[in-house]
Amino acid sequence: QYQGLAGRSTNEVLQLYSAHGQQQKLQRSSVLTQLHGAIKKRLQQDLKSLHSFALELSKNFQRQSKTYLYQVLTAVQGIQLQNEAMQMFQIKAVDLEQSLQEVTERYEKEKQRRRALHNSLVELRGNIRVHCRIRPLLPFDTAAGHSISQDRQRNFSEKVAYAIDDETVLVKCNRPGHASINKTFQFDRVYSASESQDTVFADVAPLLTSLLDGYNVCIMAYGQTGSGKTYTMLGPQLEENFAFSTEDESELGIIPRATQEVFRLISEKPPGSYWVEVSVVEVYNNEIFDLLSKDSYGKAFGVKRDVVTTREGKSNVPLLTHETVENACEFLHLVNKGIQLRVRHPTLVHAHSSRSHLVVTLTITAIVSGDNSGASWEDEQTRGLLKEVSCTFPQKMRDNKSTSSSGASSPAQLEATEKLKQVKTRLQLVDLAGSECVGMSGVTGAALRETSFINRSLSALADVLGAIAEQRSHVPYRNSKLTHLLQDSVGGDAKLLVMLCISPDQKYLTESMQSLGFGTRARQVQRGQVKKKNFPGQSKAK
Ligand code: ADP
Ligand code: MG
């Protein structure tokens, strides 16, 4: 094109340019028009499909939201229904809870009534109350190295004795090669391993009220060594010579608690109308030792004493030391001193095993007026005692002679009026020696002798109970010093509570069965109604 232009004039060139430009413009505009048309068409198509897509989407959306809404509605309705049901259940639960509480209360009341009736029956028949305490499994139950028997040496620990309710013990044991045992025993009260010293004492406390109402009371712990007798009667024994751990009062056993309770009850009475004496006796190898006696230098040492039967048929230990005490502290101090003299022999079963029977006696003397009607044997007996009243009265009272002018506590006045009498009731607290069988504890020599004495005295106790149960005319109290000493308590002149102590471990199955058998037999003993002495300001029999 440019070569062609070489020979032309400027005008021509300009005209050519302009024509060319217009041609190009025309061409471009027609292309543009075509393009525009195509784009427009395309856009219209896209718009149409977009529109139909949007329409479809919105329809879908509407459909789905309807479905979801329906689902949400159904769920909300479900929740509402559930809520209503829940409220109904709650109301029902509250109702049930209330009725359960009512039933429990009724049950408790019924149980108490039944207990009270049972207690009255026990009183009337003169039954021996038997409580059974199952101690917890303890580390020494599993300790290896017991040279007991082959069978027992195995280092296992398995519970076989259970408190299934507060009156029933279940012994259940399935050992390969042994007859399986599944036996229940009923007692007046059964304590499980978790029941505290407090709970045990709460059941004992009413007996102490009886004591001040004029009844003799005896509480005796029976069971094999290590089963918790001393724990139950005294509390945990920290060291060989340490009887009461005063640091933790909740751990104290029956003896310290009973003493505190007796002094508390006395403090509610008119001052000077009661006084308390203590004696601590040990029965070891069928000999009675007075643990409060002192030598001529005032040093404590256990003197051998004898037990005799008085003309009235009561057992008595002549010359036995009775110390007057003013409060629980003094009492426990003396008991502690007595216990320190107690003969112990650490057997292999339990290092602190006591190889003797311990009898702590708390005697309460009250002054009563002579015209009190319904005199019992003790009143008659004390008539004789009155003649020597000035020497049987505690030292403090005798010392008061010249100064005292306050009523009954003056022996001088007593002798002058002859109308006043002293009446004694006695609380005997007995921690028996272990009831395990000979041969079990791996003891030999002197210790074997001890064990055989223990076994003899305990079987004498069982024989005595058997004779009373069968109402035989002769009861062999004198077969053993233990039964002779406890004759009055066991033979019907006291409310007697036997606290059976049981080790729950399988190792001690034989001993536990033996103890449970003893308790069961003791429960069957009927001794006739227990006699009551006439105490001042007497309330009704408990
Ligand atoms: P026992 O006088 O019958 O030979 P112990 O009273 O000395 O037996 O008891 C043996 C051990 O078991 C002691 O260490 C004692 O503290 C412990 N024990 C006994 N009964 C219980 C109990 N209920 N709870 C906790 N420990 C106990
Ligand atoms: Mg003991």
Side-chain angles (χ1 to χ4, degrees), residues 81 114 168 242 265 516:
L81 282 174
R114 201 175 63 81
T168 318
F242 191 69
L265 291 168
L516 292 165

Side-chain angles (χ1 to χ4, degrees), residues 32-147:
L32 271 175
T33 316
Q34 277 174 18
L35 206 64
H36 189 254
I39 290 173
K40 198 178 163 190
K41 210 170 157 191
R42 184 70 186 271
L43 270 176
Q44 274 172 347
Q45 273 174 2
D46 282 359
L47 210 65
K48 218 168 157 186
S49 65
L50 197 69
H51 183 71
S52 66
F53 177 73
L55 216 65
E56 187 65 19
L57 204 68
S58 110
K59 271 186 198 159
N60 268 347
F61 176 75
Q62 274 179 6
R63 223 179 298 128
Q64 275 188 4
S65 54
K66 257 188 200 162
T67 322
Y68 288 139
L69 197 67
Y70 178 73
Q71 283 176 355
V72 168
L73 276 178
T74 330
V76 167
Q77 273 176 356
I79 288 173
Q80 271 173 352
L81 282 174
Q82 276 178 359
N83 263 350
E84 277 165 25
M86 188 81 99
Q87 273 170 4
M88 293 277 283
F89 279 134
Q90 270 171 352
I91 293 169
K92 254 189 196 167
V94 170
D95 276 358
L96 280 174
E97 225 167 81
Q98 256 174 8
S99 51
L100 183 70
Q101 205 178 336
E102 279 167 22
V103 169
T104 313
E105 275 167 20
R106 267 219 313 268
Y107 172 72
E108 282 303 323
K109 266 188 203 150
E110 281 302 314
K111 209 162 88 171
Q112 275 170 13
R113 262 225 314 261
R114 201 175 63 81
R115 272 244 165 90
L117 283 174
H118 174 78
N119 276 342
S120 320
L121 196 67
V122 163
E123 297 289 320
L124 286 172
R125 287 177 178 163
N127 280 133
I128 295 172
R129 289 172 176 78
V130 183
H131 293 193
C132 176
R133 186 179 202 185
I134 303 177
R135 73 152 165 78
L137 278 177
L138 293 168
F140 67 80
D141 287 326
T142 38
H146 287 180
S147 57

Side-chain angles (χ1 to χ4, degrees), residues 244 255-256 259-260 327-337:
F244 304 107
I255 294 182
T259 318
Q260 279 160 7
N327 52 46
C329 230
E330 278 180 33
F331 182 98
L332 296 176
H333 176 70
L334 285 173
V335 172
N336 240 335
K337 270 187 13 194

Side-chain angles (χ1 to χ4, degrees), residues 252-451:
L252 289 179
I254 291 174
I255 294 182
R257 283 169 194 259
T259 318
Q260 279 160 7
E261 176 67 4
V262 164
F263 279 101
R264 192 190 66 76
L265 291 168
I266 287 178
S267 72
E268 290 171 356
K269 308 278 176 184
S273 53
Y274 290 82
W275 68 91
V276 177
E277 290 162 299
V278 56
S279 72
V280 183
V281 155
E282 174 187 47
V283 184
Y284 177 65
N285 284 0
N286 208 31
E287 301 282 7
I288 291 176
F289 292 91
D290 180 351
L291 297 186
L292 293 187
S293 63
K294 294 194 183 94
D295 61 14
S296 46
Y297 303 102
K299 193 172 175 294
F301 77 116
V303 173
K304 214 188 276 185
R305 304 269 186 228
D306 212 357
V307 53
V308 297
T309 306
T310 62
R311 260 182 296 140
E312 292 79 18
K314 303 282 149 189
S315 67
N316 185 32
V317 181
L319 305 174
L320 182 66
T321 313
H322 292 274
E323 296 260 11
T324 305
V325 284
E326 303 259 334
N327 52 46
C329 230
E330 278 180 33
F331 182 98
L332 296 176
H333 176 70
L334 285 173
V335 172
N336 240 335
K337 270 187 13 194
I339 289 170
Q340 283 171 22
L341 285 180
R342 196 176 177 189
V343 180
R344 286 155 187 262
H345 175 92
T347 64
L348 297 168
V349 172
H350 176 48
H352 285 267
S353 83
S354 355
R355 310 304 298 154
S356 63
H357 312 291
L358 177 78
V359 183
V360 174
T361 309
L362 182 153
T363 310
I364 299 179
T365 308
I367 304 294
V368 293
S369 129
D371 13 288
N372 232 358
S373 57
S376 66
W377 70 268
E378 188 94 42
D379 301 327
E380 283 149 28
Q381 193 191 36
T382 48
R383 227 165 266 155
L385 276 174
L386 261 181
K387 294 193 183 82
E388 36 178 335
V389 78
S390 55
C391 59
T392 55
F393 265 51
Q395 192 63 43
K396 184 179 153 284
M397 305 277 179
R398 270 178 270 148
D399 295 346
N400 273 350
K401 239 184 198 177
S402 52
T403 54
S404 171
S405 60
S406 61
S409 58
S410 158
Q413 279 196 2
L414 263 181
E415 278 177 315
T417 61
E418 274 288 327
K419 276 199 168 172
L420 297 176
K421 291 184 284 183
Q422 49 167 315
V423 178
K424 288 175 187 284
T425 55
R426 205 175 40 216
L427 169 65
Q428 273 185 324
L429 300 156
V430 188
D431 180 11
L432 291 172
S435 63
E436 57 277 359
C437 317
V438 181
M440 173 201 160
S441 317
V443 288
T444 51
L448 182 65
R449 203 171 105 85
E450 279 176 358
T451 311

Side-chain angles (χ1 to χ4, degrees), residues 132 134 159-165 167-174 179-187 190 502 509-510 512-521 524:
C132 176
I134 303 177
K159 212 172 156 173
V160 294
Y162 309 85
I164 51 172
D165 59 43
E167 290 180 356
T168 318
V169 175
L170 167 70
V171 179
K172 195 170 178 347
C173 180
N174 286 310
S180 71
I181 297 173
N182 191 352
K183 201 166 171 2
T184 55
F185 298 86
Q186 298 286 323
F187 297 107
V190 172
I502 302 289
L509 180 63
T510 317
S512 299
M513 290 297 277
Q514 190 275 332
S515 295
L516 292 165
F518 175 87
T520 305
R521 278 193 305 281
Q524 287 154 359

